[in-house]
Amino acid sequence: MNMSDLLNQRHSCRAFLDKPVPTETLEQIFELAQRAPSNCNVQPWQTLVVSGEQKDALSQALVNAVMQQQPPNPDFNWAIAYQNEHRERQFGSANALYGALGIAREDKRARQMAMLRNWQFFDAPHVAIFTMDKYLDIMGAVDMGIYAQNLSLIMQEHGVSNCMQGALGQFPDPIREMFGLPDERGVLFGMSFGYADPDAPANQARTTREDLKTNVQFF
Ligand SMILES: Cc1cc2nc3c(=O)[nH]c(=O)nc-3n(C[C@H](O)[C@H](O)[C@H](O)COP(=O)(O)O)c2cc1C
């Protein structure tokens, strides 16, 4: 697949087959993603790739944190209340997902349960947790986003689907504890990945994009 095909066909995947990605493929994907550019080539990403029983234990710990209604305590200040057109687009993406899942707008409980799927990693066989040193702040986060998109596209080239998840940065404590992260390291976000279940309702959701002129001005 060429880059245009990869970009046109990529979409977030929220239902996976129970089939792990071979270790050799995982290593190829994460090796190539290292080619990402970063400011001054600092390469801030410290990635935890978690699979198997440890992934299940991590999911359980995160679900427990959510179910205990602990307030989110992200390591980075990203809990934004979107405004204006951003809020409209946020609703648009939520409606695409809930529409595909057949969840009505007013069905708060079903929406909460759908949200919980984030911390169950949508039953993906693998999850990548993206951490970086906290002091790197916004420029580090820029680098991390570029790295994550590299990963996403390389995965797709291997037929591996994924969903980037800000939700995985909301409750860093269980992650910190399980992997012994030092205090100076922060959990930014994560990505569940594996082979897509093509028939799952969640994977029928598609989002739209604005017209070019809304976002780009040529001078
Ligand atoms: C940084 C980032 C964080 C995201 N966080 C979540 C998340 O926590 N849960 C989720 O289901 N999707 C999450 N997404 C996926 C977006 O909702 C999705 O990319 C967007 O709606 C566009 O849809 P598409 O990826 O299918 O093109 C995230 C995407 C990005 C880039």
Side-chain angles (χ1 to χ4, degrees):
M1 263 200 278
N2 64 31
M3 188 55 74
S4 303
D5 291 338
L6 285 174
L7 286 166
N8 279 318
Q9 289 172 24
R10 188 212 59 80
H11 59 88
S12 295
C13 174
R14 298 185 181 87
F16 297 87
L17 301 176
D18 182 16
K19 179 184 163 195
V21 179
T23 306
E24 198 183 48
T25 309
L26 286 181
E27 284 170 0
Q28 282 172 4
I29 289 169
F30 283 87
E31 176 82 46
L32 189 54
Q34 297 272 105
R35 296 300 308 161
S38 56
N39 197 29
C40 299
N41 200 25
V42 293
Q43 305 165 64
W45 43 87
Q46 296 285 318
T47 306
L48 313 169
V49 185
V50 192
S51 314
E53 285 175 12
Q54 218 169 352
K55 183 226 30 160
D56 294 339
L58 179 62
S59 169
Q60 195 57 60
L62 289 167
V63 167
N64 287 346
V66 178
M67 297 300 274
Q68 287 161 14
Q69 303 196 323
Q70 293 176 13
N73 63 335
D75 288 329
F76 298 93
N77 180 25
W78 65 269
I80 315 150
Y82 287 118
Q83 301 172 17
N84 307 319
E85 72 272 27
H86 307 129
R87 194 167 161 76
E88 278 170 33
R89 293 172 195 156
Q90 178 185 29
F91 284 145
S93 72
N95 287 341
L97 178 59
Y98 296 136
L101 292 172
I103 296 174
R105 200 181 169 77
E106 60 278 6
D107 192 347
K108 209 173 158 198
R109 170 102 188 126
R111 291 169 84 108
Q112 282 170 344
M113 293 315 286
M115 186 67 193
L116 195 64
R117 298 289 294 149
N118 272 287
W119 296 284
Q120 294 166 334
F121 311 138
F122 307 111
D123 295 334
H126 312 280
V127 65
I129 306 288
F130 302 127
T131 80
M132 68 172 193
D133 281 358
K134 289 178 187 167
Y135 85 94
L136 291 168
D137 204 46
I138 195 165
M139 214 53 206
V142 170
D143 296 336
M144 297 294 282
I146 293 169
Y147 168 73
Q149 177 69 344
N150 254 15
L151 266 180
S152 178
L153 294 175
I154 300 163
M155 282 181 184
Q156 207 184 330
E157 196 182 30
H158 285 267
V160 175
S161 299
N162 67 78
C163 185
M164 297 197 201
Q165 292 170 267
L168 300 184
Q170 284 191 15
F171 300 95
D173 294 346
I175 301 173
R176 181 174 301 290
E177 205 172 298
M178 187 171 285
F179 301 101
L181 299 187
D183 287 346
E184 61 273 17
R185 189 93 73 75
V187 177
L188 190 59
F189 66 126
M191 175 193 274
S192 298
F193 66 94
Y195 298 105
D197 177 351
D199 302 323
N203 286 341
Q204 312 314 310
R206 292 293 180 275
T207 53
T208 58
R209 297 297 186 271
E210 299 297 325
D211 289 340
L212 182 64
K213 63 181 182 319
T214 309
N215 297 108
V216 181
Q217 289 176 285
F218 294 95
F219 297 100

